[in-house]
Amino acid sequence: MSTIGKVITCKAAVAWEAQKPLIVQDVQVDPPQAGEVRIKITHTALCHTDSYTLDGKDPEGLFPCILGHEAAGIVESVGEGVTEVQAGDHVIPCYQAECKECKFCKSGKTNLCGKIRSATGVGVMFNDRKSRFSANGKTIYHFMGTSTFSEYTVVHAISVAKVNPEAPLDKICLLGCGIPTGLGAVWNTAKVEKGSNVAIFGLGTVGLAVAEGAKAAGASRIIGVDIDPTKFNQAKEFGVTEFINPKDHKKPIQEVIVEATDGGVDYSFECIGNVSVMRSALECCHKGWGTSVIIGVAASGQEISTRPFQLVTGRVWKGTAFGGFKSRSGVPELVEKYLKKEIKVDEYITHNLKLSEINDAFDLLHSGKCLRCVLHVSD
Ligand SMILES: NC(=O)C1=CN([C@@H]2O[C@H](COP(=O)(O)OP(=O)(O)OC[C@H]3O[C@@H](n4cnc5c(N)ncnc54)[C@H](O)[C@@H]3O)[C@@H](O)[C@H]2O)C=CC1
Ligand SMILES: N[C@@H](CCC(=O)N[C@@H](CSC=O)C(=O)NCC(=O)O)C(=O)O
Ligand SMILES: [Zn+2]
Ligand SMILES: [Zn+2]
């Protein structure tokens, strides 16, 4: 029986309150309105940003909500005026939209899109500023415009990347966030050149994707910095050439790196979300040209600081969202690269569970033993 135009009742993991386990329960998902797409989510992974919001650290965090933003699925139905995707298409929902019309999209200077951001930041859809999710009549907010911890979700059409149906959805779901972020931070934001020295702070999925991107860009030295030494062996496989554990040194870690690299690295990347490490990452850069890219998401109220002299003397401080990739155009290209074995994806998947086991997946994420856990939602 067709579900087109009807409310769908399905399972979703609802975050009713910050710092509480998710409840996997029935929710009602409204049909897509004009400019919207309803997607059957087949697979979703967990990212540390989901955990950050669930922990109550996100100033934009709203409850109750359906978290999740690293996923893949199949279009169930489309709303009025949607022509770029149709029922049956394989897609990756993107938390950064690409309308191709707004001031941001047309600028050529950024991958950020301004069209629907005011709605996605407050958990609603742009069309009527309302949510498409509810549970027994109670509204449940969207998250990051994606809400993929659900068997069905509704997203804006300008946030949907149509991908090659040959690609396995249980793998390419990872191309919705962490891997593109790390690769793109190197290729699009820093633009690392052959022969560069690079330092990576934090060797989780994002940091390892930075290493993979830096290796592909021809970096000479790729220094991995982590307080967990169990990360080091695995990191070698992604391109890290040497390791530093700040706990093994009495000096500030930036001094250790500056001494080890004849004045500092050409590029550094903060992949943790720790504002004190962000300072170290900037200050380990070479005078005159070293560039540091902030990737990690810091908690509400946290601020970065350094001596302005660090910037006066030529270091550059930058940040990146989704690695600077324009979502709808960039994600299908990354899927093709994966199919041609030009980028890793399978190697980042350390665990597979079901949607009903989502709280165990969060525990794994916090254990430090998990890169990405893929939840099999409906396959
Ligand atoms: N800007 C963006 O577009 C995106 C940002 N993120 C953010 O990137 C960050 C990293 O994400 P994941 O790799 O998934 O996280 P993760 O938690 O898997 O990795 C963090 C790593 O940092 C290490 N670490 C923790 N404290 C440290 C310290 N003081 N010094 C050195 N190492 C330390 C941990 O041992 C771990 O290996 C998170 O803040 C996440 O929210 C994630 C995706 C996109
Ligand atoms: N909501 C937070 C900031 C969260 C944040 O920085 N998100 C990143 C993506 S993290 C993915 O895992 C991002 O791309 N931000 C750009 C955006 O448009 O949201 C806060 O308010 O501080
Ligand atoms: Zn993420
Ligand atoms: Zn736009």
Side-chain angles (χ1 to χ4, degrees), residues 47-49 177-186 190 198-214 222-227 231 240 267-282 284 291-298 317-320 323 348 370-372:
C47 167
H48 277 83
T49 307
C177 184
I179 296 174
T181 298
L183 295 175
V186 176
V198 169
I200 305 166
F201 293 77
L203 299 173
T205 293
V206 173
L208 295 179
V210 167
E212 185 186 350
I222 305 177
I223 303 168
V225 183
D226 203 299
I227 49 171
K231 303 279 176 173
V240 175
Y267 297 98
S268 73
F269 298 85
E270 200 278 354
C271 314
I272 302 163
N274 177 320
V275 291
S276 143
V277 178
M278 289 173 190
R279 179 174 192 153
S280 303
L282 175 76
C284 78
T291 296
S292 186
V293 181
I294 293 176
I295 306 177
V297 173
W317 222 345
K318 288 184 162 188
T320 191
Y348 294 88
C370 168
L371 286 176
R372 283 301 194 252

Side-chain angles (χ1 to χ4, degrees), residues 98-102 104-105 112-115:
E98 183 187 352
C99 77
K100 306 185 184 182
E101 286 169 357
C102 76
F104 290 86
C105 285
L112 302 180
C113 172
K115 176 84 179 172

Side-chain angles (χ1 to χ4, degrees), residues 279 282-285 306-316:
R279 179 174 192 153
L282 175 76
E283 295 181 0
C284 78
C285 285
T306 191
R307 286 190 64 220
F309 189 62
Q310 291 284 330
L311 306 183
V312 166
T313 50
R315 293 169 196 82
V316 178

